[in-house]
Amino acid sequence: MEKVHLSFKEQMRLVIPYAYHNIKEQALVVVPVCLYIVLFQLVILRYSILQTGFVIGGIVLVFIGLAFFLEGIRIGLAPIGEIVGNNLPKSSPSIVVLIFAFMLGILASFGEPVLGTLQVAASQLKEEHAPLLYMLLVGKPMILVGTVAFGVGVAVVIGTLRFLYGWSLKPIVLPLVLIGIVLTIIASQDKMLASAIGLAWDTGAVIVGPVLCPLVLALGVGVCRASGKMNPTMAGFGMVGLISVVPITAVIILTFVLYTFNSDLRAKGHHAPAAHTSTLVTNVGAHAAPAGHAAAAPATETHSAAAVPDAAAKEALDSAGAEKIQLPTALEFTVFYPRLRLLTLPSDLKYADYSVKTARLPAEKKRLFLAAYEVSDQHQSIKIKRGFGPEVRAQVPALLTELGYNLRESPVGIFERVYTVTVTDEKALKGSITLKSDVPPGMKKQVAGILASIGYMNSAAVLLDSLVLGVRAILPIFAFLFIVMLILRRKGPQIQQIILALVFAIIGLTLFFFGLTAGLGTLGNQMGSRMPAAFLDYLPLFPAETSLYPTEIGKVIVVIFAVILGYGATLAEPAFNVLGQQVEDVTQGAFKKNLFSQAVALGVGIGAGLGIVSLLYNINLLYLLLPPYVLLAILTVLNQEIFVNIAWDGGAVTTGPVTVPLKLALGLSLSVATGAGEGFGVLALASAYPVLNILLLGMFLGTRKSKVKELQTAE
Amino acid sequence: MNAQYKNSKDHYKVTVTVEPEKSRSLIDAAVKLGAERVFLAKGRGVLHKQKLGVIPLPGISPSFDILTLIVTKEHLELLMNTLVHVGRLHYFGAGAIYATKIHDTWYNGPAPFSASGTAAAPAQYEFQKDLIAVNCICQLDHAEEIAHSAMLAGSPSPTITFGYGHGIRDRLGFFLQLTINPKKEFIGLVVGSAEAERIFEDMVDSGHLDQPAMGFIYTNPVEMGLINTVSFQATSQYPATMEQIIKAIDQMQGNTNWRSSGSVQTSSVKKRKKLLNLVSLNCVVPRGFGDECSMAAMEAGASGTSTTYANAFPIEKRESRHLEGSDERELISLTIGESQVAPIVDAISSMKELADSPVVMYTFPAPVALTYLK
């Protein structure tokens, strides 16, 4: 057929609106949640946004990356997945189809990058406090990854069997959930097991990511079309939910097996220090405090009651004279960097070999500096806090000159002195950290995270990491499906379209992950680090600080923030977008994407809020996690099949690369500040409530439909 | 014309819109009477939203199955009466059934309808005559607004389906093709001839169908039908809904003409340039061949095609397959001038790719159509 040749101007008239429309669609879901965090931080937490360039640039890259990625999925992965899903069962025996499904599930789950986030978050776990968690996340993470991958593979097989034979989802998902509930109740009796169970539920929540979701949806649609067994209104749904539920059960069983058969583990668990509820120190939140505000977290490492300072230390801080100060020993290592940032590394980072060229101040002087001086990065100034006497003030010039800074005093008032700082000896201020080669990967990530959180992100390294993540997530799956499609000798999209889709998807994921780290991650860290100030009356090392609001009001503010954050961040999730669109497509527009999105996002908000409530009020997370799952089981039995399928799928896609860092930053920071625990299990709550919401919606709509039918088709 | 193809001028197209739960029994009844294949497509209805005060209540649109089959003139009434009886389509809210006269049918396999025996209709129903079908193809996410405007003008609930369009997009380079979304929405409704023009105009107005790249709308005459779709999510506040009352009056009057008497015209009939006396050519091919078929049609002179997906029942078995769960088809529709029919039918029938595949093509008149014209 004769091709139409367009002029460059005419081509741009097509390309520009296309690009604009796609990017705008993603910007409209990403920007509001970021603006919300920014406004909250500025207005409610009264904390200026640091590293604004990184934040803005990162956010822009997030939605541009999302636009590219989703387009790559639409034009490449989804069509190929559907073609393979449709044709493989027609031309191969069932066993081949199931083997293919199993391999696909494993391949896709190894590529999913979200699991890595849990590892980063937990990399400061102390082995002696939580040996099982430590082993699963830091020591031997491949056991966990392998178990999850196996669980995903089994889930894809079960899902494929469902589509081939037209089985209902209810008798499959209910026993799995009930097993999980029963084992969780049993595990809650043992402290070591209980901590790992929270991780198991979170694993199921995060495993369905931006690649796995569209892949299994496309596959499911294809298989359903081939089998003709399923009601096409449900075509392809239910598998995503299984991929979330089966790994939960697998990991719970794994924890029981490890606990039962590994006597060393049990022995370590029984010798864990008592009364230490905070085994996890956040790196993502706490260290992003402004210079001068060393994190709450390090102090809590040595105190069992995290938020209550040592009285002697407090008294010592108030007195003048650096020599007499005795501060918590956690601050053993503090480094000043040229931009007046403070870097506080964990004191027991025993695998690290530090080569820091600048650590000029003696330890006591560093502590004093941290306690007494408020550093403004934006204005390159230092202000002495109230409550510190003239002797302390007098030490400022000497302290900083030792470091290579030049000072000019700008008196502001009688009681305040502000020093404007310029750097005089840049070379002297440079530092580096070299890690030994046998450092666990989690530790490396943790140090990189700490550096990134205070603005020392190695952009090139993060970009390379993001590219590797993107390629790892996309390329194996694309290649596998493409090869199978060739073997089936089926016509798919043109080769140029496939290559373009691959490029779009990889570039998109790379930009997306990079933007998440640079932008949303930085923003989340700042927000998380400052959040305890809303209700905590005393942050260690800052005796002059009082909480921004009365304690109970501050806590309510934090909970409300978490609800809205959970709601907004969910709408930006790429997997969630894909599922919502699929729901609308398969139902021929009957179930609108918007209705689905709002119902799920609202559920996530409620779940996120309840998760924060558990941290703030030290409520055992299981008391909040188990009742909704029991209710889910009941509603699953009572509901129509279509809603059961969509609900479980909806719950599975809610926690992804956008929500996880934000929720973790907030959750871990609060868990450390309040000493409430590790913070695992919070993500699982955010997965349970959206399922509940959709099932309740299903009950409501089902009731109305049957009333209509009664009226209008009376016999 | 490929010698494999036979031609007939004796057929009608019967379309049934019904709840998915009833499809199977209707398909079985039609096949038992002699239908070679029944094509099932998925769609949704449109309802006026219910509100709690001013707050719209959440709801999902009803899902429909749209069954299409071809029947001979001789067996039309038997088939229609049987399907109405089996599906209880004479009850309000049960769905719709209507028949369109086909000018020409071409097929390369068994005849689309071959009656087995002399069955008698289980009951006789009174069908509405003098009906017009209004069909609209529009951009994605525009269908609801157009459908609502039709309902406000008096139409029963239209049926909306997703589909794909071929046209200028396929003549562009591959990257530029990606910039244009081929996905479309198809709206179908059947109304009395007295209301058809007003509904047609209101749909054009609300969908801006006379603007570039907004869509295409056309009508075709319907021989007979029974339209019992619902437009409201009813509550149990009253013993009967407004729609049921209107329906009862329609039945008493014998037509829907009474509705326009004394009513105020809500839309002005603008002077628009319409396309007259076109023909709607429809092809049913196995899924996977739709793109080639559309390209062949466009090379033979068609400006564009619209495609929806459907499943054929009973399933055609092929020995080479491990799984015979479904028999998927593509329903391709073109609206063209009378003189273009022959070359396009020739082009499609000559396609080597379709040599071993079952293909059915048929035409019916599209007296009035409208789209953007330069």
Side-chain angles (χ1 to χ4, degrees):
Chain A
M1 192 166 50
E2 195 186 324
K3 292 286 184 192
V4 166
H5 295 286
L6 301 179
S7 66
F8 180 75
K9 205 171 165 186
E10 285 168 331
Q11 289 181 22
M12 287 301 109
R13 273 207 204 116
L14 287 174
V15 172
I16 290 171
Y18 159 74
Y20 172 74
H21 171 76
N22 281 330
I23 292 173
K24 183 182 116 177
E25 210 174 305
Q26 302 313 316
L28 284 176
V29 289
V30 171
V31 169
V33 68
C34 299
L35 270 178
Y36 166 67
I37 297 172
V38 164
L39 285 172
F40 189 90
Q41 189 170 314
L42 286 173
V43 175
I44 307 293
L45 298 181
R46 301 175 216 162
Y47 184 48
S48 49
I49 306 293
L50 306 172
Q51 303 156 272
T52 41
F54 264 134
V55 169
I56 293 171
I59 291 168
V60 169
L61 287 178
V62 164
F63 60 76
I64 291 177
L66 265 180
F68 272 98
F69 170 71
L70 290 173
E71 192 62 8
I73 295 295
R74 182 186 77 82
I75 64 176
L77 187 69
I80 296 177
E82 196 174 324
I83 287 168
V84 170
N86 182 243
N87 288 284
L88 188 64
K90 288 178 185 171
S91 50
S92 310
S94 300
I95 188 71
V96 171
V97 177
L98 296 178
I99 292 171
F100 163 82
F102 184 71
M103 285 170 60
L104 192 71
I106 289 187
L107 200 61
S109 64
F110 271 117
E112 273 297 342
V114 189
L115 198 59
T117 312
L118 287 176
Q119 291 176 297
V120 172
S123 56
Q124 286 200 53
L125 272 179
K126 293 183 184 306
E127 189 174 1
E128 55 271 24
H129 289 137
L132 183 52
L133 260 182
Y134 186 88
M135 180 186 172
L136 288 172
L137 283 168
V138 182
K140 294 178 184 174
M142 287 315 291
I143 298 178
L144 176 67
V145 173
T147 306
V148 170
F150 178 78
V152 171
V154 168
V156 178
V157 167
I158 297 173
T160 307
L161 281 168
R162 253 196 84 224
F163 295 145
L164 287 175
Y165 296 107
W167 299 341
S168 163
L169 182 65
K170 296 181 191 183
I172 299 171
V173 79
L174 279 173
L176 288 169
V177 169
L178 288 171
I179 290 170
I181 290 172
V182 166
L183 289 177
T184 300
I185 293 169
I186 295 171
S188 63
Q189 310 306 313
D190 181 282
K191 194 169 175 51
M192 188 165 70
L193 274 176
S195 63
I197 294 294
L199 170 68
W201 288 94
D202 275 356
T203 306
V206 303
I207 187 58
V208 179
V211 178
L212 197 52
C213 176
L215 174 68
V216 297
L217 282 176
L219 191 75
V221 167
V223 173
C224 281
R225 276 177 45 206
S227 75
K229 287 275 189 324
M230 302 293 291
N231 179 345
T233 315
M234 299 183 297
F237 297 123
M239 196 189 286
V240 176
L242 282 175
I243 285 171
S244 177
V245 170
V246 173
I248 292 174
T249 315
V251 174
I252 292 176
I253 292 172
L254 171 72
T255 57
F256 271 88
V257 165
L258 287 174
Y259 181 75
T260 308
F261 293 106
N262 191 324
S263 50
D264 286 342
L265 209 57
R266 280 203 308 279
K268 283 179 191 170
H270 289 144
H271 290 121
H276 194 296
T277 55
S278 176
T279 58
L280 176 62
V281 174
T282 179
N283 63 313
V284 293
H287 295 276
H293 287 208
T300 64
E301 281 186 55
T302 56
H303 292 289
S304 55
V308 178
D310 179 49
K314 186 174 185 307
E315 191 185 303
L317 279 171
D318 290 340
S319 66
E323 304 303 318
K324 294 179 189 172
I325 290 173
Q326 287 184 16
L327 291 170
T329 55
L331 283 178
E332 288 175 2
F333 204 106
T334 311
V335 178
F336 293 96
Y337 275 78
R339 278 177 281 175
L340 297 179
R341 295 314 200 103
L342 295 182
L343 170 66
T344 310
L345 294 167
S347 57
D348 68 340
L349 195 62
K350 58 189 178 211
Y351 298 105
D353 178 14
Y354 298 108
S355 166
V356 180
K357 292 172 188 165
T358 304
R360 297 285 184 82
L361 293 180
E364 294 79 11
K365 288 188 179 176
K366 276 184 222 167
R367 287 173 200 149
L368 176 64
F369 191 87
L370 286 173
Y373 303 111
E374 182 176 329
V375 179
S376 163
D377 179 54
Q378 285 166 333
H379 303 109
Q380 289 288 298
S381 64
I382 300 173
K383 190 165 76 176
I384 302 166
K385 293 185 205 172
R386 293 184 188 191
F388 288 90
E391 296 84 354
V392 170
R393 261 187 253 145
Q395 295 183 50
V396 171
L399 275 174
L400 290 170
T401 307
E402 280 187 54
L403 291 171
Y405 293 102
N406 196 17
L407 299 181
R408 180 171 59 81
E409 185 172 343
S410 311
V412 173
I414 299 171
F415 299 108
E416 289 187 335
R417 291 284 182 273
V418 176
Y419 296 93
T420 308
V421 180
T422 54
V423 173
T424 50
D425 186 0
E426 178 94 23
K427 274 192 209 169
L429 295 169
K430 283 194 193 315
S432 66
I433 297 173
T434 310
L435 298 178
K436 289 182 182 171
S437 58
D438 59 351
V439 167
M443 289 283 184
K444 283 186 189 169
K445 280 191 184 173
Q446 173 246 328
V447 172
I450 293 169
L451 288 170
S453 70
I454 61 167
Y456 288 91
M457 188 174 71
N458 183 340
S459 302
V462 172
L463 188 63
L464 186 64
D465 263 348
S466 302
L467 179 64
V468 166
L469 279 176
V471 169
R472 208 178 80 187
I474 298 283
L475 194 58
I477 292 295
F478 249 91
F480 184 54
L481 287 174
F482 185 67
I483 290 167
V484 173
M485 194 177 78
L486 288 178
I487 292 171
L488 292 173
R489 286 190 220 151
R490 285 294 151 187
K491 198 166 62 75
Q494 299 172 48
I495 188 70
Q496 308 100 302
Q497 186 169 326
I498 294 172
I499 293 171
L500 186 68
L502 195 60
V503 167
F504 273 9
I506 291 175
I507 289 176
L509 265 190
T510 303
L511 293 178
F512 177 66
F513 286 130
F514 182 71
L516 274 185
T517 308
L520 269 176
T522 308
L523 198 57
N525 290 342
Q526 293 175 34
M527 170 268 294
S529 71
R530 187 67 175 164
M531 195 64 74
F535 59 92
L536 268 185
D537 204 38
Y538 182 87
L539 289 177
L541 303 177
F542 308 111
E545 284 269 331
T546 55
S547 65
L548 294 167
Y549 306 96
T551 305
E552 291 308 316
I553 292 178
K555 286 182 179 178
V556 168
I557 289 172
V558 171
V559 171
I560 293 171
F561 171 81
V563 170
I564 300 174
L565 181 69
Y567 170 84
T570 301
L571 294 174
E573 284 291 350
F576 181 66
N577 266 284
V578 171
L579 180 66
Q581 190 59 52
Q582 180 81 350
V583 167
E584 187 170 302
D585 288 348
V586 169
T587 60
Q588 299 289 320
F591 200 144
K592 289 274 180 245
K593 181 181 170 183
N594 195 41
L595 176 64
F596 171 78
S597 305
Q598 296 304 317
V600 172
L602 195 62
V604 174
I606 294 168
L610 283 172
I612 299 304
V613 163
S614 81
L615 296 176
L616 292 177
Y617 295 95
N618 225 335
I619 301 170
N620 188 336
L621 204 66
L622 295 178
Y623 295 153
L624 294 173
L625 195 60
L626 290 181
Y629 270 98
V630 170
L631 190 56
L632 283 181
I634 297 167
L635 287 175
T636 298
V637 171
L638 298 176
N639 240 299
Q640 294 174 50
E641 186 72 23
I642 171 105
F643 288 109
V644 170
N645 280 259
I646 290 173
W648 283 98
D649 280 3
V653 299
T654 51
T655 36
V658 177
T659 34
V660 167
L662 290 174
K663 281 187 207 156
L664 279 181
L666 180 62
L668 295 177
S669 170
L670 292 175
S671 71
V672 166
T674 60
E678 302 85 8
F680 285 115
V682 174
L683 297 176
L685 270 178
S687 286
Y689 282 87
V691 184
L692 198 56
N693 240 21
I694 296 279
L695 289 175
L696 287 169
L697 181 67
M699 295 295 290
F700 171 70
L701 293 173
T703 316
R704 290 178 70 212
K705 189 180 176 189
S706 52
K707 267 194 189 166
V708 167
K709 276 185 105 163
E710 262 173 45
L711 266 184
Q712 294 178 337
T713 56
E715 309 229 349
Chain B
M1 185 77 192
N2 190 323
Q4 270 188 306
Y5 283 76
K6 302 179 195 66
N7 176 237
S8 165
K9 293 182 186 294
D10 188 39
H11 288 109
Y12 281 76
K13 180 183 86 154
V14 172
T15 309
V16 184
T17 306
V18 75
E19 284 179 351
E21 294 83 21
K22 292 185 184 172
S23 297
R24 180 49 80 177
S25 54
L26 289 168
I27 290 169
D28 290 342
V31 170
K32 199 173 169 186
L33 280 178
E36 173 65 23
R37 286 282 178 274
V38 180
F39 305 110
L40 186 155
K42 290 288 171 186
R44 72 181 192 274
V46 183
L47 300 178
H48 289 293
K49 292 288 179 197
Q50 230 183 346
K51 291 183 182 176
L52 188 67
V54 295
I55 305 165
L57 289 176
I60 59 173
S61 304
S63 292
F64 286 140
D65 280 355
I66 304 156
L67 306 175
T68 306
L69 62 144
I70 296 174
V71 63
T72 53
K73 182 180 176 182
E74 187 189 343
H75 298 94
L76 175 64
E77 284 208 22
L78 169 64
L79 180 78
M80 296 278 284
N81 282 309
T82 306
L83 293 181
V84 169
H85 182 78
V86 168
R88 298 185 182 172
L89 299 175
H90 55 296
Y91 283 114
F92 179 69
I97 180 169
Y98 58 94
T100 305
K101 175 140 187 13
I102 294 176
H103 267 186
D104 280 284
T105 312
W106 298 269
Y107 50 94
N108 63 352
F113 193 94
S114 31
S116 47
T118 48
Q124 296 290 330
Y125 298 94
E126 199 173 324
F127 292 95
Q128 293 165 257
K129 306 280 165 108
D130 199 23
L131 295 170
I132 301 277
V134 182
N135 308 283
C136 175
I137 302 150
C138 64
Q139 299 293 347
L140 210 56
D141 298 329
H142 288 206
E144 293 270 334
E145 197 183 332
I146 299 172
H148 274 290
S149 69
M151 286 160 70
L152 285 172
S155 154
S157 170
T159 312
I160 302 176
T161 324
F162 284 149
Y164 295 86
H166 286 280
I168 190 80
R169 179 183 178 268
D170 301 273
R171 297 178 197 264
L172 299 172
F174 106 91
F175 180 72
L176 289 176
Q177 284 183 21
L178 298 174
T179 63
I180 300 174
N181 191 350
K183 210 165 170 186
K184 308 281 179 244
E185 289 189 282
F186 303 142
I187 309 165
L189 55 96
V190 175
V191 290
S193 57
E195 304 162 281
E197 187 182 10
R198 192 177 71 171
I199 289 168
F200 184 97
E201 295 293 333
D202 280 358
M203 289 170 75
V204 171
D205 284 337
S206 65
H208 307 290
L209 298 172
D210 52 355
Q211 300 300 315
M214 292 309 288
F216 184 85
I217 183 169
Y218 68 96
T219 64
N220 61 269
V222 168
E223 187 85 3
M224 55 197 277
L226 203 56
I227 312 300
N228 277 322
T229 49
V230 294
S231 306
F232 285 90
Q233 288 169 329
T235 63
S236 54
Q237 267 185 310
Y238 303 105
T241 64
M242 181 56 70
E243 277 192 289
Q244 282 176 303
I245 296 168
I246 293 170
K247 194 74 198 164
I249 299 174
D250 286 341
Q251 284 172 351
M252 283 192 292
Q253 293 287 328
N255 54 54
T256 59
N257 296 345
W258 67 271
R259 295 192 204 179
S260 20
S261 60
S263 67
V264 176
Q265 290 291 328
T266 54
S267 69
S268 57
V269 178
K270 294 179 187 162
K271 279 190 182 168
R272 291 185 167 115
K273 197 171 176 189
K274 292 176 183 152
L275 300 163
L276 302 175
N277 300 321
L278 296 179
V279 171
S280 175
L281 169 63
N282 298 266
C283 314
V284 185
V285 299
R287 187 158 172 172
F289 293 101
D291 287 349
E292 288 94 339
C293 199
S294 297
M295 294 304 111
M298 285 163 66
E299 282 185 15
S303 55
T305 69
S306 312
T307 305
T308 52
Y309 297 127
N311 280 330
F313 295 93
I315 295 166
E316 186 168 326
K317 301 281 181 189
R318 284 173 227 188
E319 283 180 10
S320 58
R321 292 192 169 180
H322 284 265
L323 185 65
E324 291 287 359
S326 63
D327 183 359
E328 295 176 301
R329 303 294 172 102
E330 294 191 47
L331 311 179
I332 304 165
S333 171
L334 315 81
T335 309
I336 48 180
E338 181 85 48
S339 57
Q340 290 175 291
V341 173
I344 292 172
V345 168
D346 277 346
I348 294 172
S349 64
S350 309
M351 284 174 62
K352 287 179 195 160
E353 298 92 328
L354 294 176
D356 298 321
S357 302
V359 176
V360 177
M361 292 183 274
Y362 55 91
T363 61
F364 51 81
V368 179
L370 186 143
T371 186
Y372 168 70
L373 295 168
K374 273 189 190 171

